[in-house]
Amino acid sequence: MIYSTGNWPRSVGIGDFNNDTHLDIIVTNQNDNTISVLLGYGNGSFANQKKYSTGSGPVSVAISDFNNDTHLDIVVANLDNNTISVLLGYGNGSFEKQTTYPTGSSPQSVAIGDFNNDIHLDIVVANYGDNTTSVLLGYGNGSFANQMKYSTGSAPLSVAIGDFNNDIHLDIIVANYGDNTISVLIGYGNGSFANQMKYSTGSAPLSVAIGDFNNDTHLDIIVANYGDNTISVLIGYGNGSFANQTKYLSGSGPNFVAVGDFNNDTRLDIVVANWNNNTMSILLGYGNGFFANQKTYPTGTSPSSIAIGDFNNDTRLDIVVANLNGHNVMVYLGYPKEGFLNQMKLITGNGSRPKSFAIGDFNNDGQTDIVVANSRTNNVGIFLRYGNGSFANQITYSTDFSPWAVAVGDFNNDTILDIVTVNHGNDTIGIFLGS
């Protein structure tokens, strides 16, 4: 499923911005200095984007509640004017205008945590241009203190947060693109940090993520190495130090990495965005710190960022990928025993403007079928799935004017799935009983 964004979608995040229990998507658009917010319907589909202004060159986004009003807020790193933008959320899917704060030179990545144990969230930024990280302590009302800076390796591009030495204080890890290392900065719990300790990675590390990959309760590190098409896994000892890297092959030009349990075996897996060959790689974890060989899936042009969540409330993790040169995001729904469905295009017809979709087994053959609300052609299209994973051409049924949403259920208790549409154009709903 492909959704339009602004120009050069660089980073993507997820959260429930309108408090409807459905996950929403946020995207930073580097070339038009905006973020796009796409509200989720809870069935794996999303509304059209709404855009908000940021600083110049937004390249990274993080999400949390900065003013303790139970509504999610946004922080964005602005590469071209050396700032971060904070946009406070109203809780209805909309946001205040940005407030900006200075950072170091060329901020590339942003993350959130409570570094001084005052229950107020703070911000950390990786500054590519001056080899530093900036820490901005939060006041708990949505505003932040001036930055404190710490040295890193050369050209830090990615930052993540975790407690690496089990002292209940948050620590920082940074991927240093310029010298093929990561930096670990141990936190004192008062908002300050020790000098960096460095560990070798592969060539040109671009992205870093954290998880417990061997189930020893100690946090481990994973790094995407753009220069040699690998990922590095560094197992943590629980005292703030790490073992030497173990490397795995990825696709060409890995530039973003994330972690989740994609096959519901309680073991953490890895997903990587591969910039050069327009794919993402999934490496399933064995739970002992080792991983299976990658399985690849096609993406759009120049995948630049990944976020993970359950977008259709089926308890399986789904993936959203921001495709920078494709000017879109793509959503991949997790599927039992199959990993992620490879992208396939199902034709809904010229000018159909598909607005929403739902899934179910409409012909009781044990296969999951798809129903789509076609808002411009005033119909729903049903795609029946074959046992080999492909779909038949759509069968259409007329609706009232401009159906915008569709849902599925057994409305007459005959064990056969029925369909309901919401028709935006004339304020009605339509019921289709299954036969």
Side-chain angles (χ1 to χ4, degrees), residues 66 68 113-122 137-141:
F66 299 130
N68 294 306
D114 180 8
F115 302 128
N116 58 347
N117 292 311
D118 64 353
I119 70 171
H120 304 319
L121 289 176
D122 313 309
L137 298 179
Y139 294 122
N141 60 1

Side-chain angles (χ1 to χ4, degrees), residues 20-24 39-46 310-314 318 356-357:
D20 63 354
T21 73
H22 305 320
L23 288 179
D24 312 308
L39 298 180
Y41 293 124
N43 61 0
S45 64
F46 294 83
D310 179 8
F311 301 130
N312 58 346
N313 295 308
D314 65 353
D318 310 310
S356 175
F357 82 98

Side-chain angles (χ1 to χ4, degrees), residues 191-318:
S192 65
F193 293 83
N195 290 336
Q196 63 178 319
M197 298 179 292
K198 294 170 74 174
Y199 296 85
S200 295
T201 66
S203 175
L206 274 183
S207 178
V208 63
I210 296 165
D212 179 9
F213 302 127
N214 60 345
N215 292 308
D216 64 353
T217 73
H218 306 320
L219 287 179
D220 311 310
I221 296 169
I222 185 164
V223 185
N225 303 307
Y226 180 86
D228 60 10
N229 303 327
T230 65
I231 57 173
S232 299
V233 177
L234 294 86
I235 299 298
Y237 292 123
N239 60 0
S241 64
F242 295 84
N244 290 336
Q245 63 179 320
T246 301
K247 292 168 75 174
Y248 296 85
L249 292 176
S250 67
S252 178
N255 71 333
F256 195 94
V257 63
V259 174
D261 178 10
F262 301 126
N263 58 346
N264 289 323
D265 64 354
T266 72
R267 300 165 183 165
L268 286 180
D269 310 310
I270 298 168
V271 58
V272 185
N274 302 306
W275 173 275
N276 289 341
N277 66 345
N278 302 324
T279 64
M280 67 174 182
S281 300
I282 304 287
L283 293 86
L284 297 179
Y286 294 124
N288 59 359
F290 295 94
F291 295 84
N293 291 337
Q294 64 177 321
K295 182 176 181 179
T296 60
Y297 298 83
T299 66
T301 306
S302 308
S304 58
S305 180
I306 289 173
I308 298 166
D310 179 8
F311 301 130
N312 58 346
N313 295 308
D314 65 353
T315 73
R316 294 185 285 270
L317 287 181
D318 310 310

Side-chain angles (χ1 to χ4, degrees), residues 49-65:
Q49 64 178 319
K50 183 175 182 181
K51 294 167 76 173
Y52 296 86
S53 294
T54 66
S56 180
V59 292
S60 178
V61 63
I63 299 161
S64 201
D65 178 10

Side-chain angles (χ1 to χ4, degrees), residues 145-169:
N146 291 335
Q147 63 178 319
M148 299 178 291
K149 292 170 74 174
Y150 297 85
S151 294
T152 66
S154 176
L157 276 179
S158 178
V159 63
I161 297 165
D163 179 9
F164 302 128
N165 59 346
N166 293 310
D167 64 353
I168 71 171
H169 306 318

Side-chain angles (χ1 to χ4, degrees), residues 385-396:
R385 188 173 191 254
Y386 297 125
N388 62 2
S390 64
F391 288 85
N393 292 336
Q394 75 170 332
I395 305 166
T396 59

